[in-house]
């Protein structure tokens, strides 16, 4: 059964180290408005440990979730009775962190007598690129406001493209936990055609950044340093780029940087740090772009989507853009400030899931640390 009227959703995201809430309203078949959004980043807390400690993340989600909820509900001007559903990330992610958002969604759903819309974290990332619809250049300006918390950007609304203009789509999702190539034939219809066999791209950035003595989170710090380096100084491997499969593997690349560093004295390493960063970054980008190129040759594609934390990398955006232009396929990259985890993306994907009647009563909902992207569409999880 399809639902046609304007719908209002509260969206909750707590799968890793950002506590994020948003209120979105599907105005009509063409657009979704953002009525309120807020994200509280835990980056400063996790910097001390050089990475996310799941229990620490969960405790932080617990302490900021209630004031954030109050803030977004007030900002949205939406009365609880006008809320149609609560969309929440149920996986994949860190179990203690996911548990906080899912428990909050269950509690609110029970108290407010609303259904819950379970959302897969990766489908959230996909929708942040699918609906943004803007060109890369247009989207590169807004920076996330995250301390102590604030809106992810000046978002007021997203246009819903006509399905025949965007599907079939090819999505490259690159984040701290995932590297995936997804073929999408329609809304909520996903086929994973490539994924990482070991480390995710963001994880590789974070680990190599650590080897280079850069602060957490490593990705942004490494790519900043790389701007001063020579990307051809070291010939690091482009893992599996010639392989027939569309899968990725970044663990060997990280190890190659490690062994290169081991052969250098501290003084030598300090002198070539920027070259190492630039050469590593180039190897990751060549690998990602190479796999997208291979995928374009195998499946029909109307647009390419780029999203996830690593999609904030300017060089990746521009090199993928070059590839897409050369193949005459438009590239939709998520706006920079929606590349990291946020609740707008969960609200956008949740709106489509709601329209498709993916609804759960509060007591039939759980979180799943590992969750197949296709499981929600198949209602098997
Ligand atoms: O999507 P996200 O916020 O969280 C997950 O769902 O994992 O992605 C975070 C990842 C981290 O590994 C971070 O280092 C990486 O995205 N990242 C970057 C950049 N900005 C963030 N990697 C490379 N270049 C960047 N500019
Ligand atoms: Zn993410």
């Amino acid at each position: 059964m399809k639902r046609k009227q304007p719908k209002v959703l509260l969206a909750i995201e707590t799968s890793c180290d950002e506590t994020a809430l948003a209120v979105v309203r599907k105005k009509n078949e063409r657009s979704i408005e953002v009525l309120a959004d807020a994200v509280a980043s835990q980056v400063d807390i996790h910097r001390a440990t050089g990475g996310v400690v799941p229990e620490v993340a969960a405790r932080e989600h617990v302490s900021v979730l209630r004031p954030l909820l109050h803030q977004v509900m007030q900002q949205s001007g939406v009365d609880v009775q006008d809320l149609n559903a609560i969309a929440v990330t149920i996986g994949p992610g860190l179990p203690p962190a996911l548990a906080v958002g899912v428990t909050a969604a269950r509690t609110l759903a029970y108290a407010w007598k609303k259904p819950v819309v379970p959302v897969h974290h990766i489908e959230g990332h996909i929708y942040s690129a699918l609906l943004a619809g803007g060109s890369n250049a247009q989207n590169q300006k807004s920076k996330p406001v995250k301390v102590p918390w604030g809106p992810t950007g000046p978002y007021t609304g997203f246009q819903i493209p006509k399905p025949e203009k965007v599907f079939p789509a090819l999505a490259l999702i690159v984040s701290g936990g995932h590297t995936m190539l997804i073929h999408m034939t329609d809304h909520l219809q996903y086929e994973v055609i490539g994924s990482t066999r070991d480390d995710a791209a963001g994880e590789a950035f974070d680990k190599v950044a650590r080897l280079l003595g850069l602060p957490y989170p490593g990705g942004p710090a490494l790519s900043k340093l790389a701007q001063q380096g020579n990307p051809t100084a070291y010939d690091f491997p482009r893992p599996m780029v010639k392989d027939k499969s569309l899968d990725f593997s970044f663990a060997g690349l990280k190890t190659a940087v490690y062994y290169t560093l081991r052969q250098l004295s501290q003084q030598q390493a300090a002198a070539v740090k920027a070259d190492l960063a630039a050469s590593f970054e180039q190897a990751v980008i060549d690998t990602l772009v190479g796999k997208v190129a291979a995928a374009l040759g195998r499946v029909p594609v109307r647009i390419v989507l780029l999203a996830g934390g690593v999609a904030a990398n300017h060089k990746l955006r521009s090199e993928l853009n070059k590839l897409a232009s050369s193949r005459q396929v438009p590239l939709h990259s998520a706006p920079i400030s929606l590349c990291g985890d946020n609740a707008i993306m969960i609200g956008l994907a949740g709106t489509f899931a709601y329209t498709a009647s993916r609804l759960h009563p509060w007591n039939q909902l759980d979180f799943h640390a590992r969750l197949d992207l296709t499981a929600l569409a198949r209602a098997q999880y």
Side-chain angles (χ1 to χ4, degrees):
M1 190 183 56
K2 298 263 173 192
R3 287 155 197 274
K4 290 208 174 83
Q5 290 311 305
K7 295 294 180 243
V8 186
L9 265 70
L10 167 69
I12 304 174
E13 156 65 44
T14 65
S15 67
C16 190
D17 60 346
E18 324 277 359
T19 320
L21 279 97
V23 180
V24 300
R25 174 166 60 197
K26 185 177 176 192
K27 215 164 115 190
N28 49 45
E29 293 310 305
R30 311 291 312 134
S31 66
I32 298 174
E33 295 172 296
V34 177
L35 303 180
D37 102 278
V39 58
S41 171
Q42 303 175 4
V43 160
D44 293 339
I45 294 162
H46 300 304
R47 190 167 288 128
T49 42
V52 181
V53 176
E55 282 69 23
V56 174
R59 208 176 313 145
E60 198 55 25
H61 287 313
V62 170
S63 75
V64 301
L65 210 141
R66 207 182 53 83
L68 272 186
L69 173 68
H70 181 72
Q71 179 183 313
V72 295
M73 286 305 288
Q74 212 173 36
Q75 209 177 67
S76 72
V78 168
D79 204 274
V80 164
Q81 67 187 18
D82 296 327
L83 209 60
N84 293 89
I86 299 159
V88 63
T89 305
I90 66 158
L94 306 171
L98 285 166
V100 178
V102 170
T103 305
R106 285 174 58 129
T107 309
L108 294 173
Y110 172 74
W112 293 345
K113 298 188 175 54
K114 309 286 175 190
V116 182
V117 179
V119 176
H120 192 287
H121 183 75
I122 298 298
E123 73 181 337
H125 279 304
I126 293 175
Y127 274 84
S128 70
L130 184 64
L131 264 58
S135 72
N136 302 330
Q138 211 177 312
N139 288 328
Q140 279 182 1
K141 292 213 173 85
S142 52
K143 283 224 167 93
V145 183
K146 286 183 175 172
V147 182
W149 64 60
T152 36
Y155 298 109
T156 51
F158 290 81
Q159 300 304 310
I160 302 174
K162 289 199 168 110
E164 62 271 23
K165 293 251 159 90
V166 290
F167 298 121
L170 174 71
L172 173 67
I173 306 301
V174 270
S175 72
H178 302 269
T179 307
M180 293 171 106
L181 270 172
I182 298 145
H183 194 230
M184 231 180 136
T185 47
D186 201 349
H187 285 299
L188 311 174
Q189 298 302 314
Y190 315 105
E191 188 194 353
V192 179
I193 57 173
S195 56
T196 185
R197 297 196 179 167
D198 41 55
D199 292 355
E203 194 179 351
F205 266 97
D206 293 340
K207 287 178 176 170
V208 169
R210 209 173 176 163
L211 289 176
L212 297 175
L214 300 170
Y216 172 87
L222 190 146
S223 64
K224 197 166 165 212
L225 177 66
Q227 284 170 13
Q228 300 154 30
N230 173 5
T232 59
Y234 293 89
D235 188 18
F236 290 130
R238 273 63 177 155
M240 296 183 68
V241 93
K242 295 218 168 83
D243 198 275
K244 267 199 191 131
S245 96
L246 294 172
D247 284 347
F248 305 88
S249 162
F250 290 107
L253 174 55
K254 168 199 68 191
T255 312
V257 178
Y258 171 75
Y259 280 113
T260 306
L261 261 173
R262 244 182 39 166
Q263 286 161 5
L264 302 172
S265 70
Q266 253 188 352
Q267 225 175 4
Q268 284 170 324
V272 296
K273 222 160 122 171
D275 286 347
L276 285 166
S279 303
F280 162 78
E281 181 183 57
Q282 194 61 52
V284 175
I285 292 171
D286 287 351
T287 308
L288 294 172
V289 174
K291 288 289 177 183
V292 172
L296 286 174
R298 293 202 208 164
V299 287
V301 175
R302 200 153 269 150
I303 61 164
V304 175
L305 305 172
L306 173 66
V310 182
N313 186 292
H314 289 280
K315 199 163 192 193
L316 172 62
R317 292 169 87 92
S318 101
E319 299 215 357
L320 200 57
N321 211 9
K322 271 187 226 152
L323 170 78
S325 309
S326 74
R327 302 289 183 98
Q328 287 158 343
V329 184
L331 171 72
H332 286 197
S333 298
I336 296 276
S337 58
L338 289 190
C339 286
D341 294 342
N342 64 86
I344 291 180
M345 69 183 196
I346 302 305
L348 298 178
T351 298
F352 283 85
Y354 180 86
T355 307
S357 299
R358 191 199 288 167
L359 307 176
H360 279 241
W362 69 271
N363 57 355
Q364 282 175 29
L365 189 84
D366 209 345
F367 63 87
H368 302 267
R370 290 172 172 275
L371 181 64
D372 195 284
L373 179 60
T374 59
L376 287 169
R378 288 184 283 114
Q380 284 172 0
Y381 48 97

